[in-house]
């Protein structure tokens, strides 16, 4: 009986988990990291297989590894004269082929004897000129990390130096104490508008969910300070996003449905056997399935489309056509019964229409094997149409706010990168932007009064940038980046020259020191420059010559590679801000700007700020089915307003601690994943309320003499993600349950209660479960 059981049990388990599978494939390309030149004859080996499986790349650097069962694999990629790399946990699934692009760095020979150790650094920045205060992230991490909701911004909130900034339900980020409006988003190398659904409605720089799906993302970089010379017009941080190219060998499709909405995507070759490919994703949501779980009856819906088309041009050229677009619509309905009115929101009738888009052509050509020429032409659009009316006690609707804002930008970025050898790579580039604007903001000074102009302007201007940077490797252990960035703002007639420098030194095997400095600057949102006031009976625009805020960034850090897959990083920084726009004689500073459509102050460049902090990261990269990430950020953010006093900024939470853990189990041919995240955040800063002025104006009026003197209690957040991937013979299914704010933590905001005549603390927060099903074909 025992013998029969031993033979029967595996058969029963196989019947539960499997039917005969088609063999799966990993395909990809191996290229030079500095130039993108293909590396023919590179070796690609699947580790831990018996017998060892592998292949070599063809004349164009392409490779194919077929006959693989679904699961995860470790690959070793090597080429003579280059540093080999190991890719851990590469997922092979039914329904979609795994397509990789592997970039190898040329080896610097410093002595007669050389021992080559494969590099295992999944978080290493993709941009070689970035030596510190940055890490890359993969599309798998945006899906895997608990609480990420497939959103790069929410996912990145677990990294050291990055803190959730605007509450539980918004994805705005505080990076090293800076306002979320200081974050720059780039796609395919060019700056794009805030790519979030319902962008900038609660907090400038934030939104509900990024408007491009993770289906399109390639590995991308997030930078938190002391940026290299190619990054301009930014103070806080950079999301340098990239779309992957579609699979040029096989068509595949994905369909996802969940509580947020539906998701459709496809990729493949235009013509079978050719190297050109397409990749697109469409998403639509009414949030109707979530409405019973949300504390509102307001109707909100969104849709977005993202795509990338790729065409080879000759032997070493590529043309990519890419784009993103999002449409958001929301209506606000007042409570029908005045007996239910408590707060202002209960009386608002309104409609919001928000359109965001970007489209570009990117051309790259390798010249004479060592010179890369890259040019991108892009057009971006950001349109906001907002109407709000207040319903009176007599049932009359009165105009309260009207926003008509359209911003478009024509962008040309072109650079030449030349590799002089393994020790020196240089890049020179220009970025020209022609921003167009049509802006009209009107608001009622007091309830019942006619709308008055807050900001107004129409026209087109220029923002010109140029940069030069060199990456020097004087030895195998030392890398230095030096550069200059030049920016000219035609609207305000300011020209700025900014030096940048970074160094990375491997003092011993597994021990790395790094340091960097940069001078940076950033202009304000366009509407700040078109603030319109009435003085002496005439309308004036006092901020038209307002200069950018500027900052010195100084960073130093230490890294210790504890094992092949485990890394410890410690980094400290000082950011000294100067020429910050402030209101003369007042604590008001643009460093604290959240979102206020009625902002109408005269500003001068006489403010300052200081952000200091220390960050710790302990990370085990995904390997053998598990990973963990522990980060701690201790920071202080202070500012000096127009009254000359130093105070905490709105964003000075003080500290953030994150702990993530994930485990994946193989069940036959299927994968079960469990991911947990816990975060402890310092409380949000707030200003005490002036009760007398609030009662007179029937609105929240802060006591600016004590700006941001108070802090809310600390916030403890727990997120959970459970995934189950089931591989069939010709398709795969992925079930996912993501629960944001599992314990129902709540944050506080203040609102004037019309019934009590007082400003009250209102606590909001709730668990947000998102269930989804994905089909891969």
């Amino acid at each position: 009986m025992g013998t029969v059981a031993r033979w029967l049990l595996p058969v029963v388990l196989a019947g539960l988990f499997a039917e005969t599978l088609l063999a799966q494939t990993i395909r990809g390309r191996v290229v030079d990291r500095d130039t993108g030149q293909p590396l023919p004859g590179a070796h690609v080996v699947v580790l831990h297989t018996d017998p060892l499986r592998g292949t070599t790349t063809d004349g164009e650097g392409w490779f194919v590894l077929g006959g693989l069962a679904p699961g995860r694999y470790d690959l070793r990629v090597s080429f003579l004269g280059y540093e080999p790399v190991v890719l851990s946990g590469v997922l092979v699934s039914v329904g979609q082929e795994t397509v990789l692009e592997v970039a190898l760095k040329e080896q610097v020979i410093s002595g007669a004897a050389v021992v080559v150790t494969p590099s295992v650094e999944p978080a290493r920045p993709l941009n070689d000129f970035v030596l510190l205060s940055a890490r890359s992230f993969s599309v798998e991490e945006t899906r895997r990390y608990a609480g990420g909701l497939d959103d790069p911004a929410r996912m990145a909130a677990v990294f050291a130096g990055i803190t959730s900034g605007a509450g539980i339900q918004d994805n705005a980020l505080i990076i090293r104490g800076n306002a979320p409006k200081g974050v720059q988003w780039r796609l395919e190398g060019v700056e794009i508008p805030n790519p979030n659904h319902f962008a900038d409605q609660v907090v400038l720089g934030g939104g509900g969910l990024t408007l491009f799906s993770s289906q399109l993302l390639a590995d991308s970089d997030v930078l938190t300070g002391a940026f290299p010379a190619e990054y301009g017009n930014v103070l806080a941080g950079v999301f340098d996003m990239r779309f992957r190219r579609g699979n040029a060998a096989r068509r595949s499709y994905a369909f996802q449905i969940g509580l947020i909405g539906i998701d459709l995507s496809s990729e493949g070759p235009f013509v079978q056997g050719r190297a050109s490919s397409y990749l697109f994703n469409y998403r639509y949501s009414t949030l109707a399935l979530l409405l019973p779980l949300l504390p509102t009856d307001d109707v909100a819906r969104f849709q977005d489309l993202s795509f990338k088309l790729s065409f080879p041009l000759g032997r070493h050229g590529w043309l990519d056509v890419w784009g993103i677009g999002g449409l958001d619509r929301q209506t606000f309905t007042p409570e029908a019964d005045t007996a239910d009115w408590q707060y202002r929101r209960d009386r608002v009738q309104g409609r919001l229409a928000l359109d965001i888009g970007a489209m570009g052509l990117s051309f790259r050509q390798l010249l004479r094997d060592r010179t890369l020429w890259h040019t991108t032409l892009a057009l971006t659009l950001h349109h906001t149409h907002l109407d709000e009316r207040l319903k009176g006690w007599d049932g009359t609707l009165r105009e309260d706010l009207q926003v008509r804002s359209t911003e478009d930008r024509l962008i040309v970025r072109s650079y030449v990168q030349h590799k002089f050898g393994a020790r020196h790579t240089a890049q020179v580039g220009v970025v020209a932007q022609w921003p167009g604007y049509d802006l009209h903001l009107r608001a009622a000074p007091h309830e019942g009064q006619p709308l008055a102009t807050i900001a107004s302007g129409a026209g087109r201007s220029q923002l010109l940038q140029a940069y030069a940077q060199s990456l020097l490797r004087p030895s195998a252990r030392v890398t230095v980046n030096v550069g200059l960035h030049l920016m000219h703002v035609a609207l305000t007639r300011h020209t700025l020259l900014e030096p940048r420098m970074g160094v990375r030194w491997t003092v011993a095997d597994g021990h790395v020191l790094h340091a960097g400095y940069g001078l940076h600057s950033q202009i304000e949102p366009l509407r700040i420059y078109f603030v319109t006031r009435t003085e002496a009976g005439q309308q004036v625009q006092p901020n038209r010559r307002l200069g950018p805020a500027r900052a010195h960034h100084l960073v130093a850090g230490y890294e210790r590679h504890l094992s092949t897959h485990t890394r410890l990083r410690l980094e400290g920084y000082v950011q000294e801000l100067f020429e910050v726009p402030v209101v003369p004689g007042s604590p008001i500073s643009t460093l604290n700007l959240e979102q206020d459509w009625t902002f109408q102050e005269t500003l001068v460049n006489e403010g300052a700020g200081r952000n200091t902090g220390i960050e710790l990261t302990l990370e085990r990269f995904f390997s053998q089915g598990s990973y963990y990430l522990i980060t701690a950020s201790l920071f202080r953010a202070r500012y000096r307003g127009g009254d000359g006093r130093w105070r905490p900024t709105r964003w000075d939470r003080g500290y953030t601690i994150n702990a993530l853990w994930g485990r994946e189990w193989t069940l036959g041919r299927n994968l079960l994943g469990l991911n947990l995240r816990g975060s402890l955040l310092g409380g949000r800063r707030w200003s005490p309320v002036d009760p007398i002025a609030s009662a007179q104006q029937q609105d929240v009026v802060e006591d600016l003499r004590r700006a941001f003197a108070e802090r809310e209690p600390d916030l403890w957040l727990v997120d959970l993600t459970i995934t189950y991937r089931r591989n069939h013979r010709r398709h795969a299914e992925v079930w996912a349950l993501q629960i944001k704010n599992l314990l129902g933590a709540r944050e506080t905001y203040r609102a004037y209660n019309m019934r009590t005549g007082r400003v009250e603390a209102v606590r909001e927060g709730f668990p947000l479960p998102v269930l989804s099903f994905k089909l891969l074909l």
Side-chain angles (χ1 to χ4, degrees):
M1 185 67 179
T3 302
V4 174
R6 280 199 305 271
W7 285 99
L8 184 59
L9 183 59
V11 174
V12 172
L13 291 177
L16 290 174
F17 292 117
E19 57 190 74
T20 304
L21 292 174
L22 293 177
Q24 304 305 306
T25 300
I26 298 176
R27 67 176 71 247
R29 199 181 197 202
V30 182
V31 299
D32 181 285
R33 191 175 178 94
D34 295 315
T35 64
Q37 180 182 9
L39 300 179
H43 296 279
V44 183
V45 177
V46 183
L47 301 178
H48 316 303
T49 56
D50 189 15
L52 207 62
R53 304 187 59 180
T55 186
T56 58
T57 58
D58 64 16
E60 297 299 319
W62 296 99
F63 69 89
V64 177
L65 282 167
L68 300 173
R72 291 193 181 272
Y73 296 89
D74 295 342
L75 304 183
R76 185 183 191 273
V77 184
S78 60
F79 185 71
L80 183 64
Y82 284 73
E83 299 177 9
V85 299
V86 171
L87 308 177
S88 298
V90 176
L91 177 64
V92 174
S93 175
V94 179
Q96 285 187 332
E97 288 188 340
T98 301
V99 182
L100 305 173
E101 180 167 288
V102 185
L104 301 184
K105 183 168 67 175
E106 190 172 356
Q107 184 180 354
V108 176
I109 308 298
S110 298
V114 178
V115 178
V116 179
T117 303
S119 170
V120 186
E121 293 186 77
R124 174 184 178 180
L126 300 173
N127 186 341
D128 261 359
F129 288 89
V130 179
L131 302 182
L132 61 144
S133 295
R135 65 160 289 163
S136 67
F137 61 90
S138 67
V139 61
E140 267 212 84
E141 287 173 311
T142 65
R143 296 171 179 169
R144 180 190 299 135
Y145 283 3
L149 300 180
D150 295 339
D151 181 342
R154 293 183 188 273
M155 178 275 302
V158 303
F159 297 153
I162 305 180
T163 306
S164 178
I168 298 167
Q169 311 309 327
D170 196 279
N171 68 1
L173 297 175
I174 303 167
I175 298 184
R176 291 185 169 175
N178 289 283
K181 72 181 180 69
V183 177
Q184 181 184 105
W185 289 84
R186 291 161 63 106
L187 181 60
E188 298 295 325
V190 297
E191 183 180 352
I192 62 173
N194 178 359
N196 279 295
H197 287 294
F198 303 103
D200 302 330
Q201 298 308 300
V202 178
V203 174
L204 290 170
L209 191 73
T210 51
L211 60 80
F212 45 80
S213 169
S214 59
Q215 292 280 356
L216 275 77
L217 283 181
D219 291 356
S220 302
D221 289 340
V222 55
L223 291 70
T224 57
F227 320 113
E230 67 186 86
Y231 298 97
N233 189 32
V234 58
L235 287 180
V238 179
F239 278 81
D240 199 350
M241 314 294 293
R242 309 178 190 202
F243 282 170
R244 63 185 179 89
R245 289 193 175 108
N247 188 344
R250 176 181 179 271
R251 288 190 177 90
S252 59
Y253 310 89
F255 169 75
Q256 179 173 295
I257 184 170
L259 292 178
I260 289 182
I262 61 171
D263 220 312
L264 302 170
S265 65
S266 177
E267 65 176 296
F270 283 105
V271 179
Q272 204 70 37
R274 301 290 181 89
S276 58
S277 66
Y278 71 87
L279 172 66
F280 83 90
N281 187 92
Y282 171 74
R283 182 168 51 180
Y284 176 79
S285 175
T286 64
L287 298 183
L289 295 176
L290 275 177
L291 282 179
L293 306 173
L294 302 176
T296 179
D297 293 326
D298 294 333
V299 178
R301 60 188 185 276
F302 65 82
Q303 54 186 317
D304 56 63
L305 175 69
S306 306
F307 67 90
K308 185 170 184 176
L309 316 176
S310 299
F311 306 92
L313 301 177
R315 188 166 182 266
H316 295 312
W318 281 93
L319 175 66
D320 293 324
V321 183
W322 52 268
I324 59 172
L327 304 176
D328 302 333
R329 301 295 183 264
Q330 186 171 12
T331 57
F332 310 96
T333 305
E335 295 288 345
D337 190 347
T338 58
D340 296 329
W341 291 0
Q342 282 187 291
Y343 309 112
R344 184 183 185 278
R345 66 185 182 189
D346 298 328
R347 306 170 53 200
V348 173
Q349 181 185 78
R351 179 180 179 273
L352 169 67
L354 182 65
D355 305 324
I356 299 173
M359 183 174 177
L361 300 172
S362 297
F363 168 76
R364 59 181 295 156
Q365 179 70 47
L366 184 63
L367 309 174
R368 298 183 180 179
D369 295 337
R370 289 186 172 268
T371 303
L372 176 66
W373 173 36
H374 194 291
T375 296
T376 297
L377 173 65
L379 179 65
T380 70
L381 173 71
H382 188 180
H383 171 72
T384 303
H385 183 120
L386 175 63
D387 286 299
E388 286 188 3
R389 297 178 179 183
L390 281 181
K391 187 175 182 179
W393 296 97
D394 60 357
T396 303
L397 286 170
R398 298 180 176 87
E399 297 283 353
D400 189 66
L401 177 65
Q402 187 181 89
V403 177
R404 303 289 186 270
S405 175
T406 300
E407 296 181 25
D408 65 82
R409 286 177 186 251
L410 177 63
I411 304 172
V412 177
R413 183 194 180 201
S414 185
Y415 68 84
V416 175
Q417 181 167 305
H418 182 73
K419 180 179 179 179
F420 293 94
R423 297 178 184 270
H424 183 198
T425 300
Q427 185 181 115
V428 177
V430 294
V431 183
Q433 299 186 25
W434 290 270
Y437 48 90
D438 187 359
L439 177 67
H440 302 281
L441 274 64
R442 300 196 302 158
H446 299 286
E447 184 176 342
Q449 294 184 350
L451 298 181
T453 299
I454 300 295
S456 181
R460 189 167 293 277
S461 186
Q462 289 181 326
L463 178 64
L464 305 177
Q465 301 174 74
Y467 67 90
Q469 56 185 1
S470 279
L471 190 68
L472 306 169
R473 302 183 181 103
S475 73
R477 292 183 177 271
V478 177
T479 304
V480 179
N481 176 21
V482 293
L484 283 173
H485 183 94
L486 177 70
M487 183 168 76
H488 173 70
V489 186
L491 181 69
T492 63
R493 301 176 185 173
H494 285 81
T495 301
L496 310 168
L497 184 64
E498 303 166 346
R500 315 283 175 83
M501 181 177 182
V503 60
R504 186 177 178 87
W505 177 28
T506 303
V507 294
D509 290 343
H511 298 265
V512 180
L513 297 175
H514 60 258
Y517 164 78
L519 176 59
H520 305 274
S521 58
Q522 187 174 36
I523 62 177
E524 297 296 328
L526 271 177
R527 77 168 189 262
I528 297 298
Y529 300 98
F530 294 100
V531 160
T532 303
R533 301 171 61 94
T534 300
E535 297 179 3
Q538 292 186 337
Q539 285 193 337
V540 296
Q541 293 182 325
N543 299 334
R544 284 298 298 270
R545 296 294 176 257
L546 188 69
R550 311 192 70 191
H552 298 285
H553 288 217
L554 184 63
V555 181
Y558 166 74
E559 293 179 23
R560 173 75 168 100
H561 294 267
L562 303 177
S563 68
T564 302
H565 297 282
T566 306
R567 180 184 69 176
L568 175 71
R569 171 184 281 184
L570 184 67
E571 197 164 69
Y573 63 89
V574 176
Q575 184 184 16
E576 290 284 348
L577 297 106
F578 61 100
E579 296 183 11
V580 176
V582 295
V583 176
S586 166
I588 296 176
S589 167
T590 57
L591 294 182
N592 298 307
L593 194 59
E594 193 174 31
Q595 175 55 294
D596 182 2
W597 290 113
T598 63
F599 185 87
Q600 201 178 17
E601 304 291 342
T602 298
L603 297 168
V604 294
N605 291 104
E606 296 178 358
R610 180 178 300 121
N611 299 322
T612 57
I614 188 168
E615 302 159 1
L616 175 69
T617 300
L618 176 61
E619 182 169 14
R620 182 185 189 273
F621 302 113
F622 188 89
S623 178
Q624 298 181 341
S626 68
Y627 73 94
Y628 63 78
L629 172 64
I630 300 172
T631 63
S633 303
L634 180 66
F635 63 97
R636 190 181 188 197
R638 295 291 186 268
Y639 82 102
R640 189 187 71 213
D643 60 355
R645 290 183 55 188
W646 284 89
R647 296 177 174 86
T649 72
R650 181 191 299 274
W651 319 105
D652 183 28
R653 282 188 178 265
Y655 73 94
T656 303
I657 299 174
N658 296 289
L660 284 86
W661 171 85
R663 176 71 183 172
E664 193 174 78
W665 294 273
T666 301
L667 305 176
R669 64 167 179 268
N670 307 320
L671 296 175
L672 174 66
L674 174 65
N675 302 271
L676 288 168
R677 168 185 169 185
S679 300
L680 182 61
L681 287 69
R684 290 195 297 179
R685 288 280 181 179
W686 60 282
S687 303
V689 172
D690 184 333
I692 298 177
S694 297
Q696 291 174 345
Q697 299 188 28
Q698 297 188 7
D699 200 356
V700 178
V701 179
E702 297 176 341
D703 183 358
L704 293 181
R705 296 170 301 176
R706 301 170 59 201
F708 311 112
E710 302 292 337
R711 176 182 284 171
E712 297 292 340
D714 295 346
L715 185 66
W716 170 244
L717 297 172
V718 176
D719 302 316
L720 169 69
T721 296
I722 301 173
T723 60
Y724 181 60
R725 179 182 292 265
R726 188 177 181 187
N727 289 296
H728 296 270
R729 187 168 185 265
R730 295 181 180 275
H731 72 276
E733 304 167 0
V734 181
W735 292 87
L737 174 62
Q738 303 180 74
I739 305 180
K740 184 73 179 172
N741 191 20
L742 180 66
L743 302 182
R746 296 190 295 172
E747 287 196 300
T748 303
Y749 75 94
R750 279 151 187 84
Y752 180 80
N753 190 317
M754 296 176 293
R755 295 198 170 277
T756 64
R758 297 196 305 265
V759 175
E760 296 180 351
V762 181
R763 292 179 59 78
E764 282 193 349
F766 50 90
L768 181 63
V770 178
L771 179 65
S772 65
F773 168 76
K774 181 186 294 185
L775 184 64
L776 303 173
L777 299 170

